[in-house]
Amino acid sequence: MSVIILAIESSCDETSCAIMCDELLLSNIVADQEVHHQYGGVIPELASRAHQQNIVPVVNNAIHHAGVERKNISAIAFTEGPGLIGSLLVGNSFSKGLSLALNIPLISVNHLQAHILAHFIEEPKPKFPFLCLTVSGGHTQIVLVKDYFKMEVIGKTLDDAAGEAFDKSAKLLGLPYPGGPMIDQFAKTGNSERFKFPEPKVDGFDFSFSGLKTSILYFLRDETRMNENFVKENLNDICASIQGRIISILLHKLEKAANDLNIKSVAIAGGVSANSFLRIQFEEYGRKNNWKTFIPKFEYCTDNAAMIAMVGHYKFIKGEFENQSVIPKARLPIETNF
Ligand code: KG4
Ligand code: ZN
């Protein structure tokens, strides 16, 4: 009999539902929350309210697109954490209710594991062990992926995440939220060598982005003091230079980790892996180092329920189910589930 997973993602500001039949994705509906744009960042209270409004139409839409009947769904998978507690709570309560109503099992999913296992939604799928650079709005990690649920964080950011570095830099430039895709867009016609920002010296495979943020702040302050139109006149080059530095910080550490551990299968995941320059540079590093590289399709980079469904599928096969007492977790390390 087929395993049909209905998956729900609600960890931040995207409400998403996906349906997967065995390992075939049938639908993946994502609703963005426009409400945050005017505030320049995600407002947690508004995010949970928007999830409440979106969740029923998003789930109905996903079921409709998949063409499945509710009575044939095998289990409900949902994001347990990490994420915004109020946002997680909406997906958590809805999933519990649906699992009770349909009398089917509940499966909890670690959002960070899901970003990594998004590589198994479509071919080519990486072989274990592989390294994954997971770069999102909340996390920046180098993960040694030994098996579906055996993951070890070997490097992480000591302060800001890479996505935050993009978003905070964009804010300093007066660009609207979310800043990452805006910087990506402006950088396309810019010169990344024009302005030099420092690369932090951090031991091992760890990262730091707070110094970069400060240096951008002082750089912009000094330049605009001399020319108040500096940002407007040089936006493309500034964006390309900031983006270039964030990406070189990420890839230098990833290269060091892959060399030290002698691993030739390397992947990127998470929202920042949608960045066009990161995707190009990552392939370049792959060619140079003889890596087999894995880049997710755009729709599986930023938050989506397809990746939750993928993990849900593997947990269903393992028979790893949750009971109704499960609560959302703002923090949930990637290493807990094995
Ligand atoms: O994985 P994600 O959707 O949510 C979290 O789990 O945090 O990642 C969101 C982050 C944001 O910081 C956003 O600016 C960044 O991913 N991002 C990008 C791009 N698309 C999304 N950063 C740079 N370039 C992009 N094209
Ligand atoms: Zn995410």
mmCIF file of all heavy atoms in Angstrom, residues 286-325:
data_model
loop_
_atom_site.group_PDB
_atom_site.id
_atom_site.type_symbol
_atom_site.label_atom_id
_atom_site.label_comp_id
_atom_site.label_asym_id
_atom_site.label_seq_id
_atom_site.Cartn_x
_atom_site.Cartn_y
_atom_site.Cartn_z
ATOM 1 N N GLY A 286 33.430 23.277 -6.548
ATOM 2 C CA GLY A 286 33.255 21.851 -6.813
ATOM 3 C C GLY A 286 34.196 21.375 -7.903
ATOM 4 O O GLY A 286 34.849 20.333 -7.775
ATOM 5 N N ARG A 287 34.272 22.175 -8.986
ATOM 6 C CA ARG A 287 35.160 21.807 -10.104
ATOM 7 C C ARG A 287 36.602 21.790 -9.631
ATOM 8 O O ARG A 287 37.359 20.870 -9.908
ATOM 9 C CB ARG A 287 35.000 22.808 -11.260
ATOM 10 C CG ARG A 287 33.937 22.371 -12.263
ATOM 11 C CD ARG A 287 33.962 23.268 -13.493
ATOM 12 N NE ARG A 287 33.491 24.609 -13.200
ATOM 13 C CZ ARG A 287 32.204 24.955 -13.152
ATOM 14 N NH1 ARG A 287 31.267 24.070 -13.374
ATOM 15 N NH2 ARG A 287 31.849 26.189 -12.880
ATOM 16 N N LYS A 288 36.970 22.858 -8.878
ATOM 17 C CA LYS A 288 38.356 23.006 -8.416
ATOM 18 C C LYS A 288 38.766 21.852 -7.487
ATOM 19 O O LYS A 288 39.879 21.353 -7.560
ATOM 20 C CB LYS A 288 38.469 24.352 -7.675
ATOM 21 C CG LYS A 288 39.879 24.745 -7.292
ATOM 22 C CD LYS A 288 39.913 26.140 -6.679
ATOM 23 C CE LYS A 288 39.656 26.069 -5.194
ATOM 24 N NZ LYS A 288 39.557 27.334 -4.506
ATOM 25 N N ASN A 289 37.845 21.424 -6.639
ATOM 26 C CA ASN A 289 38.172 20.425 -5.608
ATOM 27 C C ASN A 289 37.718 19.013 -5.970
ATOM 28 O O ASN A 289 37.827 18.108 -5.151
ATOM 29 C CB ASN A 289 37.522 20.813 -4.278
ATOM 30 C CG ASN A 289 38.141 22.045 -3.662
ATOM 31 O OD1 ASN A 289 39.269 22.000 -3.200
ATOM 32 N ND2 ASN A 289 37.417 23.154 -3.673
ATOM 33 N N ASN A 290 37.172 18.881 -7.186
ATOM 34 C CA ASN A 290 36.709 17.573 -7.603
ATOM 35 C C ASN A 290 35.574 17.024 -6.727
ATOM 36 O O ASN A 290 35.575 15.844 -6.359
ATOM 37 C CB ASN A 290 37.905 16.600 -7.575
ATOM 38 C CG ASN A 290 37.801 15.631 -8.703
ATOM 39 O OD1 ASN A 290 36.895 15.738 -9.546
ATOM 40 N ND2 ASN A 290 38.703 14.652 -8.729
ATOM 41 N N TRP A 291 34.640 17.891 -6.350
ATOM 42 C CA TRP A 291 33.493 17.467 -5.540
ATOM 43 C C TRP A 291 32.375 17.028 -6.461
ATOM 44 O O TRP A 291 32.247 17.516 -7.584
ATOM 45 C CB TRP A 291 32.910 18.627 -4.720
ATOM 46 C CG TRP A 291 33.771 19.193 -3.659
ATOM 47 C CD1 TRP A 291 34.841 18.616 -3.043
ATOM 48 C CD2 TRP A 291 33.606 20.495 -3.051
ATOM 49 N NE1 TRP A 291 35.348 19.469 -2.090
ATOM 50 C CE2 TRP A 291 34.611 20.623 -2.072
ATOM 51 C CE3 TRP A 291 32.712 21.547 -3.225
ATOM 52 C CZ2 TRP A 291 34.750 21.761 -1.279
ATOM 53 C CZ3 TRP A 291 32.833 22.677 -2.437
ATOM 54 C CH2 TRP A 291 33.847 22.783 -1.470
ATOM 55 N N LYS A 292 31.522 16.150 -5.919
ATOM 56 C CA LYS A 292 30.219 15.938 -6.530
ATOM 57 C C LYS A 292 29.295 16.925 -5.800
ATOM 58 O O LYS A 292 29.170 16.864 -4.576
ATOM 59 C CB LYS A 292 29.783 14.483 -6.285
ATOM 60 C CG LYS A 292 28.834 13.968 -7.314
ATOM 61 C CD LYS A 292 28.733 12.460 -7.230
ATOM 62 C CE LYS A 292 27.586 11.893 -8.046
ATOM 63 N NZ LYS A 292 27.022 12.685 -9.110
ATOM 64 N N THR A 293 28.734 17.876 -6.519
ATOM 65 C CA THR A 293 27.978 18.947 -5.851
ATOM 66 C C THR A 293 26.465 18.736 -5.966
ATOM 67 O O THR A 293 25.977 18.221 -6.984
ATOM 68 C CB THR A 293 28.319 20.322 -6.466
ATOM 69 O OG1 THR A 293 28.189 20.218 -7.887
ATOM 70 C CG2 THR A 293 29.722 20.764 -6.110
ATOM 71 N N PHE A 294 25.760 19.142 -4.929
ATOM 72 C CA PHE A 294 24.296 19.015 -4.893
ATOM 73 C C PHE A 294 23.671 20.350 -4.506
ATOM 74 O O PHE A 294 23.943 20.885 -3.435
ATOM 75 C CB PHE A 294 23.882 17.919 -3.897
ATOM 76 C CG PHE A 294 24.402 16.564 -4.293
ATOM 77 C CD1 PHE A 294 25.658 16.145 -3.875
ATOM 78 C CD2 PHE A 294 23.663 15.742 -5.134
ATOM 79 C CE1 PHE A 294 26.162 14.916 -4.272
ATOM 80 C CE2 PHE A 294 24.165 14.511 -5.535
ATOM 81 C CZ PHE A 294 25.420 14.094 -5.104
ATOM 82 N N ILE A 295 22.863 20.886 -5.419
ATOM 83 C CA ILE A 295 22.194 22.172 -5.203
ATOM 84 C C ILE A 295 20.693 21.941 -5.308
ATOM 85 O O ILE A 295 20.222 21.410 -6.319
ATOM 86 C CB ILE A 295 22.632 23.197 -6.275
ATOM 87 C CG1 ILE A 295 24.154 23.401 -6.232
ATOM 88 C CG2 ILE A 295 21.912 24.518 -6.109
ATOM 89 C CD1 ILE A 295 24.677 24.414 -7.232
ATOM 90 N N PRO A 296 19.924 22.335 -4.281
ATOM 91 C CA PRO A 296 18.476 22.086 -4.377
ATOM 92 C C PRO A 296 17.805 22.973 -5.424
ATOM 93 O O PRO A 296 18.302 24.055 -5.732
ATOM 94 C CB PRO A 296 17.945 22.434 -2.978
ATOM 95 C CG PRO A 296 19.068 23.019 -2.216
ATOM 96 C CD PRO A 296 20.306 23.030 -3.055
ATOM 97 N N LYS A 297 16.681 22.485 -5.958
ATOM 98 C CA LYS A 297 15.874 23.344 -6.837
ATOM 99 C C LYS A 297 15.412 24.550 -6.026
ATOM 100 O O LYS A 297 15.249 24.444 -4.796
ATOM 101 C CB LYS A 297 14.634 22.568 -7.305
ATOM 102 C CG LYS A 297 14.867 21.777 -8.565
ATOM 103 C CD LYS A 297 13.701 20.891 -8.852
ATOM 104 C CE LYS A 297 12.643 21.519 -9.711
ATOM 105 N NZ LYS A 297 11.602 20.533 -10.110
ATOM 106 N N PHE A 298 15.165 25.676 -6.679
ATOM 107 C CA PHE A 298 14.796 26.908 -5.973
ATOM 108 C C PHE A 298 13.656 26.696 -4.965
ATOM 109 O O PHE A 298 13.705 27.174 -3.850
ATOM 110 C CB PHE A 298 14.381 28.004 -6.960
ATOM 111 C CG PHE A 298 15.565 28.714 -7.531
ATOM 112 C CD1 PHE A 298 15.937 28.525 -8.845
ATOM 113 C CD2 PHE A 298 16.324 29.565 -6.745
ATOM 114 C CE1 PHE A 298 17.050 29.165 -9.370
ATOM 115 C CE2 PHE A 298 17.434 30.214 -7.256
ATOM 116 C CZ PHE A 298 17.796 30.013 -8.576
ATOM 117 N N GLU A 299 12.629 25.950 -5.392
ATOM 118 C CA GLU A 299 11.451 25.829 -4.514
ATOM 119 C C GLU A 299 11.714 25.016 -3.255
ATOM 120 O O GLU A 299 10.935 25.046 -2.321
ATOM 121 C CB GLU A 299 10.233 25.280 -5.269
ATOM 122 C CG GLU A 299 10.436 23.935 -5.904
ATOM 123 C CD GLU A 299 10.743 24.058 -7.397
ATOM 124 O OE1 GLU A 299 11.596 24.898 -7.758
ATOM 125 O OE2 GLU A 299 10.125 23.324 -8.173
ATOM 126 N N TYR A 300 12.857 24.282 -3.223
ATOM 127 C CA TYR A 300 13.176 23.519 -2.013
ATOM 128 C C TYR A 300 14.269 24.200 -1.176
ATOM 129 O O TYR A 300 14.779 23.619 -0.222
ATOM 130 C CB TYR A 300 13.623 22.092 -2.364
ATOM 131 C CG TYR A 300 12.671 21.356 -3.276
ATOM 132 C CD1 TYR A 300 13.143 20.559 -4.313
ATOM 133 C CD2 TYR A 300 11.287 21.470 -3.107
ATOM 134 C CE1 TYR A 300 12.268 19.895 -5.167
ATOM 135 C CE2 TYR A 300 10.408 20.818 -3.952
ATOM 136 C CZ TYR A 300 10.907 20.032 -4.984
ATOM 137 O OH TYR A 300 10.038 19.383 -5.821
ATOM 138 N N CYS A 301 14.680 25.422 -1.560
ATOM 139 C CA CYS A 301 15.699 26.153 -0.785
ATOM 140 C C CYS A 301 15.044 26.883 0.377
ATOM 141 O O CYS A 301 15.349 26.637 1.540
ATOM 142 C CB CYS A 301 16.409 27.179 -1.665
ATOM 143 S SG CYS A 301 17.468 26.456 -2.910
ATOM 144 N N THR A 302 14.132 27.803 0.063
ATOM 145 C CA THR A 302 13.452 28.547 1.133
ATOM 146 C C THR A 302 12.379 27.627 1.745
ATOM 147 O O THR A 302 12.108 26.545 1.228
ATOM 148 C CB THR A 302 12.829 29.850 0.583
ATOM 149 O OG1 THR A 302 12.156 29.549 -0.624
ATOM 150 C CG2 THR A 302 13.892 30.892 0.311
ATOM 151 N N ASP A 303 11.797 28.091 2.859
ATOM 152 C CA ASP A 303 10.926 27.207 3.631
ATOM 153 C C ASP A 303 9.763 26.661 2.808
ATOM 154 O O ASP A 303 9.077 27.409 2.116
ATOM 155 C CB ASP A 303 10.430 27.946 4.877
ATOM 156 C CG ASP A 303 11.563 28.173 5.861
ATOM 157 O OD1 ASP A 303 12.625 27.521 5.705
ATOM 158 O OD2 ASP A 303 11.391 28.987 6.781
ATOM 159 N N ASN A 304 9.548 25.357 2.916
ATOM 160 C CA ASN A 304 8.508 24.680 2.146
ATOM 161 C C ASN A 304 8.139 23.390 2.862
ATOM 162 O O ASN A 304 8.922 22.875 3.655
ATOM 163 C CB ASN A 304 9.043 24.363 0.735
ATOM 164 C CG ASN A 304 10.185 23.361 0.785
ATOM 165 O OD1 ASN A 304 9.962 22.149 0.782
ATOM 166 N ND2 ASN A 304 11.435 23.822 0.889
ATOM 167 N N ALA A 305 6.944 22.863 2.562
ATOM 168 C CA ALA A 305 6.521 21.630 3.248
ATOM 169 C C ALA A 305 6.961 20.368 2.511
ATOM 170 O O ALA A 305 6.890 19.276 3.074
ATOM 171 C CB ALA A 305 5.008 21.630 3.428
ATOM 172 N N ALA A 306 7.455 20.513 1.261
ATOM 173 C CA ALA A 306 7.912 19.318 0.535
ATOM 174 C C ALA A 306 9.041 18.643 1.319
ATOM 175 O O ALA A 306 9.097 17.420 1.455
ATOM 176 C CB ALA A 306 8.386 19.712 -0.863
ATOM 177 N N MET A 307 9.939 19.477 1.865
ATOM 178 C CA MET A 307 11.072 18.912 2.621
ATOM 179 C C MET A 307 10.584 18.258 3.922
ATOM 180 O O MET A 307 11.171 17.283 4.391
ATOM 181 C CB MET A 307 12.122 20.000 2.887
ATOM 182 C CG MET A 307 11.674 21.126 3.777
ATOM 183 S SD MET A 307 12.941 22.424 3.893
ATOM 184 C CE MET A 307 12.334 23.360 5.325
ATOM 185 N N ILE A 308 9.495 18.778 4.488
ATOM 186 C CA ILE A 308 8.926 18.188 5.718
ATOM 187 C C ILE A 308 8.307 16.829 5.360
ATOM 188 O O ILE A 308 8.439 15.848 6.104
ATOM 189 C CB ILE A 308 7.856 19.130 6.344
ATOM 190 C CG1 ILE A 308 8.428 20.550 6.566
ATOM 191 C CG2 ILE A 308 7.294 18.553 7.647
ATOM 192 C CD1 ILE A 308 9.623 20.644 7.473
ATOM 193 N N ALA A 309 7.668 16.779 4.185
ATOM 194 C CA ALA A 309 7.060 15.529 3.731
ATOM 195 C C ALA A 309 8.126 14.457 3.507
ATOM 196 O O ALA A 309 7.924 13.276 3.813
ATOM 197 C CB ALA A 309 6.279 15.776 2.443
ATOM 198 N N MET A 310 9.280 14.880 2.970
ATOM 199 C CA MET A 310 10.365 13.924 2.697
ATOM 200 C C MET A 310 10.831 13.262 3.997
ATOM 201 O O MET A 310 10.971 12.035 4.075
ATOM 202 C CB MET A 310 11.525 14.680 2.028
ATOM 203 C CG MET A 310 12.569 13.805 1.403
ATOM 204 S SD MET A 310 11.982 12.965 -0.064
ATOM 205 C CE MET A 310 11.844 11.275 0.480
ATOM 206 N N VAL A 311 11.038 14.095 5.025
ATOM 207 C CA VAL A 311 11.451 13.545 6.320
ATOM 208 C C VAL A 311 10.317 12.690 6.897
ATOM 209 O O VAL A 311 10.557 11.608 7.449
ATOM 210 C CB VAL A 311 11.824 14.671 7.317
ATOM 211 C CG1 VAL A 311 12.289 14.082 8.636
ATOM 212 C CG2 VAL A 311 12.915 15.561 6.738
ATOM 213 N N GLY A 312 9.088 13.189 6.736
ATOM 214 C CA GLY A 312 7.914 12.446 7.216
ATOM 215 C C GLY A 312 7.874 11.059 6.591
ATOM 216 O O GLY A 312 7.598 10.062 7.267
ATOM 217 N N HIS A 313 8.180 10.976 5.316
ATOM 218 C CA HIS A 313 8.173 9.686 4.625
ATOM 219 C C HIS A 313 9.182 8.721 5.262
ATOM 220 O O HIS A 313 8.842 7.587 5.589
ATOM 221 C CB HIS A 313 8.494 9.887 3.136
ATOM 222 C CG HIS A 313 8.638 8.605 2.392
ATOM 223 N ND1 HIS A 313 7.560 7.930 1.860
ATOM 224 C CD2 HIS A 313 9.737 7.838 2.133
ATOM 225 C CE1 HIS A 313 7.993 6.813 1.295
ATOM 226 N NE2 HIS A 313 9.306 6.734 1.443
ATOM 227 N N TYR A 314 10.419 9.224 5.455
ATOM 228 C CA TYR A 314 11.449 8.342 6.025
ATOM 229 C C TYR A 314 11.100 7.926 7.452
ATOM 230 O O TYR A 314 11.359 6.785 7.855
ATOM 231 C CB TYR A 314 12.830 9.017 5.988
ATOM 232 C CG TYR A 314 13.372 9.185 4.581
ATOM 233 C CD1 TYR A 314 13.866 10.410 4.141
ATOM 234 C CD2 TYR A 314 13.382 8.122 3.686
ATOM 235 C CE1 TYR A 314 14.353 10.578 2.851
ATOM 236 C CE2 TYR A 314 13.861 8.279 2.386
ATOM 237 C CZ TYR A 314 14.347 9.509 1.980
ATOM 238 O OH TYR A 314 14.816 9.653 0.707
ATOM 239 N N LYS A 315 10.502 8.836 8.218
ATOM 240 C CA LYS A 315 10.136 8.485 9.597
ATOM 241 C C LYS A 315 8.970 7.480 9.606
ATOM 242 O O LYS A 315 8.903 6.625 10.477
ATOM 243 C CB LYS A 315 9.773 9.742 10.385
ATOM 244 C CG LYS A 315 10.986 10.549 10.801
ATOM 245 C CD LYS A 315 10.630 11.474 11.938
ATOM 246 C CE LYS A 315 11.858 11.989 12.629
ATOM 247 N NZ LYS A 315 11.527 12.834 13.793
ATOM 248 N N PHE A 316 8.070 7.622 8.645
ATOM 249 C CA PHE A 316 6.949 6.677 8.548
ATOM 250 C C PHE A 316 7.490 5.262 8.312
ATOM 251 O O PHE A 316 7.075 4.308 8.949
ATOM 252 C CB PHE A 316 6.002 7.080 7.405
ATOM 253 C CG PHE A 316 4.729 6.275 7.363
ATOM 254 C CD1 PHE A 316 3.573 6.747 7.977
ATOM 255 C CD2 PHE A 316 4.694 5.030 6.731
ATOM 256 C CE1 PHE A 316 2.398 5.988 7.954
ATOM 257 C CE2 PHE A 316 3.531 4.266 6.709
ATOM 258 C CZ PHE A 316 2.377 4.754 7.316
ATOM 259 N N ILE A 317 8.455 5.177 7.394
ATOM 260 C CA ILE A 317 9.052 3.866 7.073
ATOM 261 C C ILE A 317 9.723 3.266 8.318
ATOM 262 O O ILE A 317 9.666 2.074 8.556
ATOM 263 C CB ILE A 317 10.102 4.016 5.924
ATOM 264 C CG1 ILE A 317 9.465 4.632 4.679
ATOM 265 C CG2 ILE A 317 10.820 2.708 5.608
ATOM 266 C CD1 ILE A 317 8.383 3.807 4.028
ATOM 267 N N LYS A 318 10.369 4.168 9.114
ATOM 268 C CA LYS A 318 11.027 3.694 10.355
ATOM 269 C C LYS A 318 10.029 3.408 11.472
ATOM 270 O O LYS A 318 10.390 2.890 12.514
ATOM 271 C CB LYS A 318 11.984 4.809 10.870
ATOM 272 C CG LYS A 318 13.290 4.853 10.129
ATOM 273 C CD LYS A 318 14.406 5.653 10.780
ATOM 274 C CE LYS A 318 14.116 6.590 11.893
ATOM 275 N NZ LYS A 318 15.261 6.900 12.736
ATOM 276 N N GLY A 319 8.784 3.857 11.294
ATOM 277 C CA GLY A 319 7.765 3.698 12.334
ATOM 278 C C GLY A 319 7.971 4.643 13.496
ATOM 279 O O GLY A 319 7.646 4.325 14.641
ATOM 280 N N GLU A 320 8.522 5.834 13.189
ATOM 281 C CA GLU A 320 8.799 6.798 14.265
ATOM 282 C C GLU A 320 7.678 7.840 14.351
ATOM 283 O O GLU A 320 7.672 8.812 13.591
ATOM 284 C CB GLU A 320 10.126 7.486 13.976
ATOM 285 C CG GLU A 320 10.840 7.912 15.246
ATOM 286 C CD GLU A 320 12.193 8.515 14.936
ATOM 287 O OE1 GLU A 320 13.086 7.770 14.468
ATOM 288 O OE2 GLU A 320 12.338 9.715 15.125
ATOM 289 N N PHE A 321 6.753 7.594 15.278
ATOM 290 C CA PHE A 321 5.586 8.477 15.379
ATOM 291 C C PHE A 321 5.597 9.273 16.684
ATOM 292 O O PHE A 321 6.309 8.935 17.613
ATOM 293 C CB PHE A 321 4.299 7.641 15.266
ATOM 294 C CG PHE A 321 4.225 6.871 13.964
ATOM 295 C CD1 PHE A 321 4.262 5.474 13.952
ATOM 296 C CD2 PHE A 321 4.152 7.540 12.752
ATOM 297 C CE1 PHE A 321 4.222 4.771 12.753
ATOM 298 C CE2 PHE A 321 4.103 6.846 11.545
ATOM 299 C CZ PHE A 321 4.142 5.458 11.546
ATOM 300 N N GLU A 322 4.776 10.312 16.741
ATOM 301 C CA GLU A 322 4.659 11.184 17.912
ATOM 302 C C GLU A 322 3.315 10.944 18.578
ATOM 303 O O GLU A 322 2.377 10.508 17.917
ATOM 304 C CB GLU A 322 4.642 12.648 17.447
ATOM 305 C CG GLU A 322 5.895 13.421 17.503
ATOM 306 C CD GLU A 322 6.721 13.294 18.752
ATOM 307 O OE1 GLU A 322 6.153 13.024 19.832
ATOM 308 O OE2 GLU A 322 7.943 13.461 18.634
ATOM 309 N N ASN A 323 3.212 11.341 19.854
ATOM 310 C CA ASN A 323 1.878 11.316 20.440
ATOM 311 C C ASN A 323 1.354 12.747 20.584
ATOM 312 O O ASN A 323 2.063 13.705 20.271
ATOM 313 C CB ASN A 323 1.847 10.530 21.759
ATOM 314 C CG ASN A 323 2.767 11.147 22.773
ATOM 315 O OD1 ASN A 323 2.798 12.368 22.904
ATOM 316 N ND2 ASN A 323 3.531 10.325 23.470
ATOM 317 N N GLN A 324 0.145 12.875 21.081
ATOM 318 C CA GLN A 324 -0.522 14.182 21.119
ATOM 319 C C GLN A 324 0.095 15.156 22.119
ATOM 320 O O GLN A 324 -0.273 16.323 22.165
ATOM 321 C CB GLN A 324 -2.017 13.985 21.422
ATOM 322 C CG GLN A 324 -2.807 13.386 20.270
ATOM 323 C CD GLN A 324 -3.186 14.427 19.241
ATOM 324 O OE1 GLN A 324 -3.366 15.592 19.544
ATOM 325 N NE2 GLN A 324 -3.311 14.012 17.978
ATOM 326 N N SER A 325 1.043 14.689 22.931
ATOM 327 C CA SER A 325 1.618 15.600 23.933
ATOM 328 C C SER A 325 2.794 16.414 23.375
ATOM 329 O O SER A 325 3.369 17.233 24.081
ATOM 330 C CB SER A 325 2.054 14.818 25.174
ATOM 331 O OG SER A 325 3.054 13.909 24.797
#
